[in-house]
Amino acid sequence: MALSTQHSAPRYHPNRLGLIGWLAGGRWGIERYVYTLHRITGLGILSYFLLHIFVTATRALGQNWWEGAMARVDHRVFHIGEFLVFAAFAFHAANGIRLVLIELGWAVGKPEEPVYPYRTSLNVQRPLLAAMMILAAILIALGGWDFISLPHGH
Amino acid sequence: MRETKFWTWHILAGAVVLVLLGLHMIVMHMGSIVGLLNPAGGEPIAWANVLARSRMVGLVAVYILLLGAALYHGLYGLRTILLEMGPGAALQKAINVLFWIGGLSLFVIGTLAAIVAAR
């Protein structure tokens, strides 16, 4: 049987894995899971932010409205949620700096001759990833200290 | 080309959010450590502190800038995730229109609240 020599590129490439691809698409390195966490924290921050716009807008209506709104969210569940948003921001920001440094080509290393033992751009990117995760952990610890030290609701 | 511009704005908005939301987080969540912009002392959400911050013109401008940058960065990120799922052309257009209208509406609500609270 003769092989066809006509190869037409498909016009449309469906995203076959969908959301599953965020976690289970193959043998990925830690960067892929950091990418997934970046998206999850981004969605979490956005959800909080959209609600936050309406809650904080009550300050324009006066003290009673503001204190009423704050009383409604003065609950341990909301305080824990608030800390999680802070932690998500710390991670998202630190990882975002890393992504921009890589996007702009400042953190991928210089091209080198392929001499054994081989060095790849990961030799630059992995230490940057570790540094950014340490930065995020320090920020989360500081925010956690503030969270514990302030009086909270029931 | 237009998508490249949107992506560049996404990165620039992210940089603005990093600085301004960082400041907001320091004020609101590290109050017991740094005590920044909380003139009445105590919790940052106490009405006296909220009122004092609301009347600082520079801070109001910073919050409006943060609102715009955060809305753009966040909604563009969500739009990217949705478009990655491979919706058809009509749905893509609907997502774009919905996000522009929703984003601008939220920006107007937040800006009006900041301006009214400053008076």
Side-chain angles (χ1 to χ4, degrees), chain A residues 69-149:
Chain A
M70 289 302 106
R72 272 191 289 281
V73 295
D74 188 18
H75 191 278
R76 190 172 294 276
V77 171
F78 285 103
H79 291 303
I80 292 170
E82 215 171 20
F83 172 69
L84 289 177
V85 170
F86 176 83
F89 166 70
F91 168 82
H92 198 86
N95 192 52
I97 293 170
R98 181 183 75 88
L99 292 175
V100 171
L101 291 176
I102 292 169
E103 169 87 9
L104 298 177
W106 294 338
V108 291
K110 291 178 181 172
E112 291 179 11
E113 290 288 331
V115 179
Y116 189 82
Y118 305 119
R119 284 168 52 83
T120 70
S121 64
L122 276 183
N123 290 93
V124 177
Q125 290 182 33
R126 281 272 161 86
L128 177 65
L129 173 64
M132 286 303 156
M133 291 305 101
I134 290 168
L135 175 66
I138 291 169
L139 289 172
I140 291 167
L142 286 173
W145 175 260
D146 190 78
F147 170 75
I148 293 166
S149 61

Side-chain angles (χ1 to χ4, degrees), chain B residues 13-42:
Chain B
V16 171
V17 171
L18 176 71
V19 175
L20 301 187
L21 189 57
L23 174 72
H24 179 68
M25 288 291 186
I26 289 169
V27 171
M28 302 306 292
H29 295 284
M30 293 182 180
S32 66
I33 299 169
V34 291
L36 187 69
L37 297 173
N38 289 310

